[in-house]
Amino acid sequence: MQQTGTKTIWQVIMASSAGTLIEWYDFYIFGSLSAIISEKFFPPSNPELAYIATLATFAVGFIVRPFGAIVFGRLGDLVGRKYTFLLTLLIMGGSTFAIGLIPSYHTIGVLAPMLVLILRLLQGLALGGEYGGAATYVAEHSPNHRRGYYTSFIQTTATLGLFVSLAVILITRSVMSPADFNNYGWRIPFLLSVLLVIMSYYIRIRLQESPLFIQMKKEGKTSANPIKESFGNKENLKLVLIALFGAAMGQGVVWYTGQFYALSFLQKTMNIEFVQSNIIIALALLLGTPLFIYFGSLSDRIGRKKIMLAGMLIAALAYYPIYKAMDTIGDVKQKTELTELYKIESNQSKNDAGQFVQQTTKVHTYSDGSVLRISDGKPELTVDNTRMAILVFLIFVQVVFVTMVYAPIAAFLVEMFPTRIRYTSMSLPYHIGNGVFGGLLPTISTILVTKTGNHLAGLIYPIAVAVICFLIGLVYIKDNKNMEI
C-alpha cells in the first residue's frame, strides 16, 4: 500500500470528517425534532398515529440507504471516491434546506407529508453513498497498523452530527420563547445547514483522489461492473452477507438504541421536558465520543472482532435493567406529590394559523424535586439535578456500547473487500445493517410499546437482533486486522 505522510493523513481526516459530520447533522435534525415535526406535517386528529407516521418517514430515509450505497458505491468505484462524496454532500444539503421551507399540514394539507417523504428519500440516497466514500477514502490513505485509529475519527462524525444537531436546536430554543420555537423557530436548524454544506464543499473540493484508486486507474485495474463483481461473485457475496449479519446488523441496532431510541424514550415514554431531554442526550454523547478513538486504536492491537462482538453482547444483557431504571425515574405514580404546591397557569400563544389561543397548564410538584406540567393534555416532566445526572450516566453507558461496536467497523469492512470493488461491497452491508435493521428500530419499538402497553417492550427488537448478530459473528467472522489492502 502507498503510505501517506502524517500531515496529509490529518488533512484527509479533517476534510472527510467535516463533510460527513455535516451530512449526519442534516440527516439527524429530522429525528431530533420528530416530536414537533409530527405536529407540523401530519394530521392533528390522532397525535399518536402522527408520531408513528413521523418515525416511519424518518425510517424511510434509512431504508433507501442501501439503494444509495449501490448507486453511489458503483459511481465511487468507477469514477473515484472524491467526486462521489462531493455529490452526496450537495444532495443532502439541498434536501435538508428544503425541508425547512415546507409549509405545515395546516397550510397545504397532505402535500406537506408527501414533500417531506420525497426529501427524506433523497437524504437517504445521499447518505447511502457518503459513509462508504469517506471511510474508504480515509482507510486508503492510512498505514496498515493505524487503520482502526485513523478511521475511528470518521466514526465519531455520526455521533457528533447528532450532538451538533441537538446543540443547534437547544441554542435556537434558548433565544426565543417556546411558542415561537414551536411556531417557526424549529425551521432554523434546517435552514442553517446550507451554510455548513457550502463550507464543507469548499474544504472537500481541494482534496486529491485516493492514492490507491489513482494507482489502480493508472494500471487499468478498475472494475467495469462493480455491482456484478460485488454481488454476482459467490465468494464476495459470502463476505457481504457475513459483514451484514455478523457485524453491521448488530452494530446498527446498538447505535440507534443508545442514541435515538434513548431520546425517544426520554421524550415520549418518560415525558421528560424537551430542553432537558436534549441536554441529557448531548451530555452523554459528549462524554462518550472520545471512546470512539480509544476503541478504534484498541482494534489495531487486539483486533476488530473481539471489541464489536463484546459490545453487542454486553448491550443485549444491559438494555433491560438500564431502561427499567430510566422508566422508574420518570414514573410519577411512584412519586409523592406536594399537593400544597399544585397550581394552574394560564397564558396565550399562537397556533400554526397565527391565531392566539388560551393555554392552561397544570403544575404538579413532587417531593423528589420533579415537576410535571400538563398543557392541553401533553405532560412534560422536569427532574432534579441528581436524577438528571443518573439519566446522563445511564445513556452514557449505552454510548459506550455504541463506541465499541461502531469504532472498529470502518476498518473491519475496508479490510474485507478488494480495492476495485471496495466502495460498493462495503457500503451495501453497512447501510442495510444501519439503514434497515437500525433505522427501523424507533418505528418497530414504538409499535411494540403501543400494541402491548408495556414501556419496555420496544427493547425486544434490539436485544434479539444484537444476540443473533453476536452468534453469527462469533462463528463466521475472521479477524484480519492491519492487513494489506
Side-chain angles (χ1 to χ4, degrees):
M1 171 182 173
Q2 180 178 338
Q3 300 296 307
T4 303
T6 301
K7 182 179 179 181
T8 303
I9 185 63
W10 284 113
Q11 290 173 340
V12 166
I13 289 170
M14 292 302 295
S16 300
S17 298
T20 307
L21 185 151
I22 289 166
E23 289 212 34
W24 283 114
Y25 162 83
D26 284 358
F27 200 71
Y28 286 139
I29 291 173
F30 193 96
S32 302
L33 291 170
S34 58
I36 291 177
I37 288 172
S38 68
E39 300 172 1
K40 300 300 177 183
F41 293 136
F42 292 89
S45 55
N46 190 331
E48 190 173 80
L49 184 61
Y51 185 66
I52 291 176
T54 303
L55 291 178
T57 304
F58 182 59
V60 162
F62 292 98
I63 293 170
V64 299
R65 278 167 57 178
F67 298 99
I70 293 173
V71 171
F72 292 109
R74 177 181 180 276
L75 192 64
D77 283 327
L78 289 174
V79 178
R81 291 41 168 141
K82 171 186 172 180
Y83 290 104
T84 302
F85 64 38
L86 280 174
L87 179 60
T88 61
L89 178 68
L90 294 178
I91 294 173
M92 175 66 80
S95 300
T96 303
F97 181 75
I99 288 176
L101 298 175
I102 298 175
S104 68
Y105 182 88
H106 177 85
T107 305
I108 61 173
V110 295
L111 191 57
M114 289 174 62
L115 288 173
V116 172
L117 180 62
I118 291 170
L119 292 171
R120 285 299 292 174
L121 287 169
L122 288 174
Q123 285 187 321
L125 289 171
L127 193 60
E130 164 63 24
Y131 174 82
T136 301
Y137 189 75
V138 172
E140 291 180 349
H141 279 84
S142 304
N144 299 325
H145 67 289
R146 297 284 275 167
R147 190 177 299 121
Y149 171 68
Y150 285 130
T151 56
S152 68
F153 286 89
I154 287 290
Q155 304 307 87
T156 67
T157 59
T159 294
L160 286 173
L162 175 55
F163 177 80
V164 172
S165 75
L166 294 175
V168 171
I169 289 166
L170 289 172
I171 292 170
T172 305
R173 172 71 180 265
S174 69
V175 298
M176 59 180 62
S177 68
D180 286 340
F181 181 81
N182 191 65
N183 189 30
Y184 66 88
W186 62 271
R187 296 181 181 274
I188 294 173
F190 287 97
L191 301 177
L192 282 177
S193 69
V194 71
L195 300 176
L196 300 175
V197 169
I198 292 171
M199 181 174 64
S200 180
Y201 182 85
Y202 174 75
I203 294 171
R204 280 191 170 185
I205 195 67
R206 301 166 67 190
L207 292 174
Q208 299 298 314
E209 184 54 84
S210 157
L212 286 182
F213 185 83
I214 292 173
Q215 181 181 347
M216 189 174 60
K217 196 167 186 178
K218 189 183 296 182
E219 295 171 354
K221 294 181 179 179
T222 54
S223 174
N225 193 335
I227 296 176
K228 184 178 180 181
E229 283 193 49
S230 293
F231 314 118
N233 179 286
K234 186 177 179 180
E235 288 303 312
N236 200 77
L237 179 59
K238 181 181 176 181
L239 293 176
V240 169
L241 294 175
I242 290 173
L244 170 58
F245 295 110
M249 177 176 75
Q251 175 258 302
V253 296
V254 172
W255 203 97
Y256 289 103
T257 302
Q259 296 176 111
F260 269 106
Y261 185 69
L263 178 60
S264 175
F265 193 86
L266 286 173
Q267 293 182 342
K268 303 301 290 187
T269 301
M270 297 176 64
N271 298 312
I272 300 295
E273 188 269 330
F274 180 84
V275 171
Q276 189 175 52
S277 62
N278 280 283
I279 289 174
I280 290 167
I281 292 289
L283 288 174
L285 295 178
L286 187 63
L287 292 170
T289 296
L291 293 175
F292 284 106
I293 311 302
Y294 171 74
F295 285 116
S297 179
L298 184 63
S299 76
D300 285 326
R301 301 194 296 276
I302 69 171
R304 330 293 183 202
K305 175 180 176 177
K306 296 182 185 71
I307 300 171
M308 291 190 298
L309 296 188
M312 292 178 207
L313 181 61
I314 299 170
L317 295 173
Y319 280 150
Y320 184 83
I322 286 175
Y323 278 88
K324 179 67 175 175
M326 291 171 63
D327 194 39
T328 300
I329 290 174
D331 188 359
V332 295
K333 294 178 181 177
Q334 298 186 36
K335 300 178 186 295
T336 302
E337 183 175 0
L338 303 176
T339 53
E340 67 274 14
L341 296 181
Y342 173 78
K343 60 182 178 179
I344 297 177
E345 298 174 346
S346 184
N347 56 63
Q348 285 190 335
S349 62
K350 283 185 179 181
N351 61 18
D352 288 342
Q355 302 167 327
F356 280 99
V357 293
Q358 195 73 20
Q359 187 177 57
T360 301
T361 303
K362 299 177 181 179
V363 183
H364 302 265
T365 303
Y366 300 90
S367 59
D368 66 358
S370 301
V371 177
L372 178 66
R373 303 172 68 86
I374 304 175
S375 301
D376 297 329
K378 297 178 184 178
E380 279 196 336
L381 180 69
T382 303
V383 296
D384 68 310
N385 290 337
T386 300
R387 284 157 187 79
M388 181 176 172
I390 293 171
L391 288 172
V392 170
F393 173 74
L394 291 172
I395 293 172
F396 164 73
V397 172
Q398 296 178 64
V399 175
V400 174
F401 305 151
V402 171
T403 61
M404 291 177 71
V405 298
Y406 197 53
I409 203 164
F412 167 76
L413 291 173
V414 165
E415 290 164 350
M416 287 192 77
F417 303 104
T419 306
R420 57 191 279 112
I421 55 172
R422 178 172 295 135
Y423 201 146
T424 305
S425 294
M426 72 170 282
S427 292
L428 187 66
Y430 173 81
H431 286 293
I432 292 178
N434 284 265
V436 178
F437 288 98
L440 286 176
L441 188 149
T443 308
I444 292 173
S445 294
T446 301
I447 291 172
L448 286 172
V449 170
T450 302
K451 293 293 185 182
T452 62
N454 182 346
H455 289 169
L456 304 176
L459 296 172
I460 294 171
Y461 175 73
I463 290 173
V465 173
V467 169
I468 292 169
C469 191
F470 168 80
L471 294 173
I472 293 173
L474 193 65
V475 175
Y476 291 104
I477 287 179
K478 294 180 180 178
D479 211 341
N480 299 318
K481 64 167 184 170
N482 306 335
M483 62 181 289
E484 188 79 24
I485 64 172

